[in-house]
mmCIF file with all atom_site columns, all heavy atoms in Angstrom:
data_model
loop_
_atom_site.group_PDB
_atom_site.id
_atom_site.type_symbol
_atom_site.label_atom_id
_atom_site.label_alt_id
_atom_site.label_comp_id
_atom_site.label_asym_id
_atom_site.label_entity_id
_atom_site.label_seq_id
_atom_site.pdbx_PDB_ins_code
_atom_site.Cartn_x
_atom_site.Cartn_y
_atom_site.Cartn_z
_atom_site.occupancy
_atom_site.B_iso_or_equiv
_atom_site.pdbx_formal_charge
_atom_site.auth_seq_id
_atom_site.auth_comp_id
_atom_site.auth_asym_id
_atom_site.auth_atom_id
_atom_site.pdbx_PDB_model_num
ATOM 1  N N   . PRO A 1 399 ? 15.768 7.088   -5.636  1.00 0.00 ? 399 PRO A N   1
ATOM 2  C CA  . PRO A 1 399 ? 16.714 6.793   -6.699  1.00 0.00 ? 399 PRO A CA  1
ATOM 3  C C   . PRO A 1 399 ? 15.978 5.871   -7.798  1.00 0.00 ? 399 PRO A C   1
ATOM 4  O O   . PRO A 1 399 ? 14.838 5.372   -7.475  1.00 0.00 ? 399 PRO A O   1
ATOM 5  C CB  . PRO A 1 399 ? 17.767 6.061   -6.088  1.00 0.00 ? 399 PRO A CB  1
ATOM 6  C CG  . PRO A 1 399 ? 17.723 6.297   -4.559  1.00 0.00 ? 399 PRO A CG  1
ATOM 7  C CD  . PRO A 1 399 ? 16.291 6.576   -4.365  1.00 0.00 ? 399 PRO A CD  1
ATOM 8  N N   . ASN A 1 400 ? 16.445 5.998   -9.020  1.00 0.00 ? 400 ASN A N   1
ATOM 9  C CA  . ASN A 1 400 ? 15.928 5.126   -10.056 1.00 0.00 ? 400 ASN A CA  1
ATOM 10 C C   . ASN A 1 400 ? 16.730 3.737   -10.166 1.00 0.00 ? 400 ASN A C   1
ATOM 11 O O   . ASN A 1 400 ? 17.836 3.822   -10.488 1.00 0.00 ? 400 ASN A O   1
ATOM 12 C CB  . ASN A 1 400 ? 15.980 5.820   -11.423 1.00 0.00 ? 400 ASN A CB  1
ATOM 13 C CG  . ASN A 1 400 ? 15.261 4.998   -12.555 1.00 0.00 ? 400 ASN A CG  1
ATOM 14 O OD1 . ASN A 1 400 ? 14.447 4.210   -12.184 1.00 0.00 ? 400 ASN A OD1 1
ATOM 15 N ND2 . ASN A 1 400 ? 15.625 5.316   -13.695 1.00 0.00 ? 400 ASN A ND2 1
ATOM 16 N N   . TYR A 1 401 ? 15.981 2.688   -9.942  1.00 0.00 ? 401 TYR A N   1
ATOM 17 C CA  . TYR A 1 401 ? 16.644 1.426   -10.050 1.00 0.00 ? 401 TYR A CA  1
ATOM 18 C C   . TYR A 1 401 ? 16.092 0.564   -11.233 1.00 0.00 ? 401 TYR A C   1
ATOM 19 O O   . TYR A 1 401 ? 16.654 -0.465  -11.669 1.00 0.00 ? 401 TYR A O   1
ATOM 20 C CB  . TYR A 1 401 ? 16.334 0.498   -8.786  1.00 0.00 ? 401 TYR A CB  1
ATOM 21 C CG  . TYR A 1 401 ? 16.935 1.159   -7.504  1.00 0.00 ? 401 TYR A CG  1
ATOM 22 C CD1 . TYR A 1 401 ? 16.234 1.591   -6.521  1.00 0.00 ? 401 TYR A CD1 1
ATOM 23 C CD2 . TYR A 1 401 ? 18.343 1.280   -7.447  1.00 0.00 ? 401 TYR A CD2 1
ATOM 24 C CE1 . TYR A 1 401 ? 16.788 2.142   -5.367  1.00 0.00 ? 401 TYR A CE1 1
ATOM 25 C CE2 . TYR A 1 401 ? 18.916 1.855   -6.262  1.00 0.00 ? 401 TYR A CE2 1
ATOM 26 C CZ  . TYR A 1 401 ? 18.068 2.334   -5.296  1.00 0.00 ? 401 TYR A CZ  1
ATOM 27 O OH  . TYR A 1 401 ? 18.644 2.893   -4.201  1.00 0.00 ? 401 TYR A OH  1
ATOM 28 N N   . VAL A 1 402 ? 15.209 1.054   -11.857 1.00 0.00 ? 402 VAL A N   1
ATOM 29 C CA  . VAL A 1 402 ? 14.550 0.444   -13.026 1.00 0.00 ? 402 VAL A CA  1
ATOM 30 C C   . VAL A 1 402 ? 15.580 0.427   -14.190 1.00 0.00 ? 402 VAL A C   1
ATOM 31 O O   . VAL A 1 402 ? 16.256 1.438   -14.479 1.00 0.00 ? 402 VAL A O   1
ATOM 32 C CB  . VAL A 1 402 ? 13.302 1.153   -13.639 1.00 0.00 ? 402 VAL A CB  1
ATOM 33 C CG1 . VAL A 1 402 ? 12.837 0.454   -14.868 1.00 0.00 ? 402 VAL A CG1 1
ATOM 34 C CG2 . VAL A 1 402 ? 12.192 0.945   -12.512 1.00 0.00 ? 402 VAL A CG2 1
ATOM 35 N N   . GLY A 1 403 ? 15.844 -0.731  -14.823 1.00 0.00 ? 403 GLY A N   1
ATOM 36 C CA  . GLY A 1 403 ? 16.826 -0.919  -15.861 1.00 0.00 ? 403 GLY A CA  1
ATOM 37 C C   . GLY A 1 403 ? 18.162 -1.316  -15.309 1.00 0.00 ? 403 GLY A C   1
ATOM 38 O O   . GLY A 1 403 ? 19.058 -1.509  -16.242 1.00 0.00 ? 403 GLY A O   1
ATOM 39 N N   . LYS A 1 404 ? 18.392 -1.458  -14.025 1.00 0.00 ? 404 LYS A N   1
ATOM 40 C CA  . LYS A 1 404 ? 19.641 -1.851  -13.542 1.00 0.00 ? 404 LYS A CA  1
ATOM 41 C C   . LYS A 1 404 ? 19.515 -3.348  -13.053 1.00 0.00 ? 404 LYS A C   1
ATOM 42 O O   . LYS A 1 404 ? 18.563 -3.877  -12.778 1.00 0.00 ? 404 LYS A O   1
ATOM 43 C CB  . LYS A 1 404 ? 20.028 -0.944  -12.327 1.00 0.00 ? 404 LYS A CB  1
ATOM 44 C CG  . LYS A 1 404 ? 20.197 0.491   -12.786 1.00 0.00 ? 404 LYS A CG  1
ATOM 45 C CD  . LYS A 1 404 ? 20.603 1.375   -11.547 1.00 0.00 ? 404 LYS A CD  1
ATOM 46 C CE  . LYS A 1 404 ? 20.652 2.775   -11.844 1.00 0.00 ? 404 LYS A CE  1
ATOM 47 N NZ  . LYS A 1 404 ? 21.035 3.673   -10.772 1.00 0.00 ? 404 LYS A NZ  1
ATOM 48 N N   . ASN A 1 405 ? 20.760 -3.978  -13.038 1.00 0.00 ? 405 ASN A N   1
ATOM 49 C CA  . ASN A 1 405 ? 20.917 -5.408  -12.667 1.00 0.00 ? 405 ASN A CA  1
ATOM 50 C C   . ASN A 1 405 ? 20.545 -5.418  -11.068 1.00 0.00 ? 405 ASN A C   1
ATOM 51 O O   . ASN A 1 405 ? 21.048 -4.620  -10.337 1.00 0.00 ? 405 ASN A O   1
ATOM 52 C CB  . ASN A 1 405 ? 22.268 -5.942  -12.929 1.00 0.00 ? 405 ASN A CB  1
ATOM 53 C CG  . ASN A 1 405 ? 22.415 -7.341  -12.560 1.00 0.00 ? 405 ASN A CG  1
ATOM 54 O OD1 . ASN A 1 405 ? 22.663 -7.661  -11.412 1.00 0.00 ? 405 ASN A OD1 1
ATOM 55 N ND2 . ASN A 1 405 ? 22.212 -8.198  -13.555 1.00 0.00 ? 405 ASN A ND2 1
ATOM 56 N N   . TYR A 1 406 ? 19.642 -6.387  -10.705 1.00 0.00 ? 406 TYR A N   1
ATOM 57 C CA  . TYR A 1 406 ? 19.232 -6.514  -9.432  1.00 0.00 ? 406 TYR A CA  1
ATOM 58 C C   . TYR A 1 406 ? 20.473 -6.628  -8.347  1.00 0.00 ? 406 TYR A C   1
ATOM 59 O O   . TYR A 1 406 ? 20.585 -5.998  -7.402  1.00 0.00 ? 406 TYR A O   1
ATOM 60 C CB  . TYR A 1 406 ? 18.333 -7.721  -9.172  1.00 0.00 ? 406 TYR A CB  1
ATOM 61 C CG  . TYR A 1 406 ? 18.027 -7.968  -7.767  1.00 0.00 ? 406 TYR A CG  1
ATOM 62 C CD1 . TYR A 1 406 ? 17.244 -7.205  -6.873  1.00 0.00 ? 406 TYR A CD1 1
ATOM 63 C CD2 . TYR A 1 406 ? 18.653 -9.178  -7.181  1.00 0.00 ? 406 TYR A CD2 1
ATOM 64 C CE1 . TYR A 1 406 ? 17.035 -7.525  -5.734  1.00 0.00 ? 406 TYR A CE1 1
ATOM 65 C CE2 . TYR A 1 406 ? 18.330 -9.460  -5.835  1.00 0.00 ? 406 TYR A CE2 1
ATOM 66 C CZ  . TYR A 1 406 ? 17.513 -8.686  -5.083  1.00 0.00 ? 406 TYR A CZ  1
ATOM 67 O OH  . TYR A 1 406 ? 17.314 -8.970  -3.798  1.00 0.00 ? 406 TYR A OH  1
ATOM 68 N N   . ASN A 1 407 ? 21.399 -7.525  -8.743  1.00 0.00 ? 407 ASN A N   1
ATOM 69 C CA  . ASN A 1 407 ? 22.536 -7.738  -7.820  1.00 0.00 ? 407 ASN A CA  1
ATOM 70 C C   . ASN A 1 407 ? 23.358 -6.450  -7.790  1.00 0.00 ? 407 ASN A C   1
ATOM 71 O O   . ASN A 1 407 ? 23.905 -6.159  -6.649  1.00 0.00 ? 407 ASN A O   1
ATOM 72 C CB  . ASN A 1 407 ? 23.328 -8.917  -8.410  1.00 0.00 ? 407 ASN A CB  1
ATOM 73 C CG  . ASN A 1 407 ? 22.750 -10.161 -8.378  1.00 0.00 ? 407 ASN A CG  1
ATOM 74 O OD1 . ASN A 1 407 ? 21.995 -10.570 -7.423  1.00 0.00 ? 407 ASN A OD1 1
ATOM 75 N ND2 . ASN A 1 407 ? 22.931 -11.125 -9.417  1.00 0.00 ? 407 ASN A ND2 1
ATOM 76 N N   . ASP A 1 408 ? 23.529 -5.657  -8.816  1.00 0.00 ? 408 ASP A N   1
ATOM 77 C CA  . ASP A 1 408 ? 24.254 -4.488  -8.811  1.00 0.00 ? 408 ASP A CA  1
ATOM 78 C C   . ASP A 1 408 ? 23.603 -3.455  -7.802  1.00 0.00 ? 408 ASP A C   1
ATOM 79 O O   . ASP A 1 408 ? 24.275 -2.719  -7.022  1.00 0.00 ? 408 ASP A O   1
ATOM 80 C CB  . ASP A 1 408 ? 24.445 -3.843  -10.139 1.00 0.00 ? 408 ASP A CB  1
ATOM 81 C CG  . ASP A 1 408 ? 25.313 -4.650  -11.059 1.00 0.00 ? 408 ASP A CG  1
ATOM 82 O OD1 . ASP A 1 408 ? 26.097 -5.559  -10.465 1.00 0.00 ? 408 ASP A OD1 1
ATOM 83 O OD2 . ASP A 1 408 ? 25.226 -4.597  -12.250 1.00 0.00 ? 408 ASP A OD2 1
ATOM 84 N N   . VAL A 1 409 ? 22.261 -3.503  -7.895  1.00 0.00 ? 409 VAL A N   1
ATOM 85 C CA  . VAL A 1 409 ? 21.392 -2.571  -7.123  1.00 0.00 ? 409 VAL A CA  1
ATOM 86 C C   . VAL A 1 409 ? 21.690 -2.890  -5.487  1.00 0.00 ? 409 VAL A C   1
ATOM 87 O O   . VAL A 1 409 ? 21.899 -2.062  -4.767  1.00 0.00 ? 409 VAL A O   1
ATOM 88 C CB  . VAL A 1 409 ? 19.942 -2.675  -7.368  1.00 0.00 ? 409 VAL A CB  1
ATOM 89 C CG1 . VAL A 1 409 ? 19.184 -1.967  -6.283  1.00 0.00 ? 409 VAL A CG1 1
ATOM 90 C CG2 . VAL A 1 409 ? 19.599 -2.082  -8.660  1.00 0.00 ? 409 VAL A CG2 1
ATOM 91 N N   . ILE A 1 410 ? 21.612 -4.194  -5.174  1.00 0.00 ? 410 ILE A N   1
ATOM 92 C CA  . ILE A 1 410 ? 21.897 -4.614  -3.764  1.00 0.00 ? 410 ILE A CA  1
ATOM 93 C C   . ILE A 1 410 ? 23.292 -4.202  -3.336  1.00 0.00 ? 410 ILE A C   1
ATOM 94 O O   . ILE A 1 410 ? 23.450 -3.709  -2.213  1.00 0.00 ? 410 ILE A O   1
ATOM 95 C CB  . ILE A 1 410 ? 21.644 -6.089  -3.639  1.00 0.00 ? 410 ILE A CB  1
ATOM 96 C CG1 . ILE A 1 410 ? 20.284 -6.509  -4.092  1.00 0.00 ? 410 ILE A CG1 1
ATOM 97 C CG2 . ILE A 1 410 ? 22.078 -6.639  -2.264  1.00 0.00 ? 410 ILE A CG2 1
ATOM 98 C CD1 . ILE A 1 410 ? 19.158 -5.790  -3.110  1.00 0.00 ? 410 ILE A CD1 1
#
Side-chain angles (χ1 to χ4, degrees):
N400 183 23
Y401 297 115
V402 174
K404 298 181 180 180
N405 183 278
Y406 169 71
N407 293 326
D408 292 341
V409 168
I410 296 302

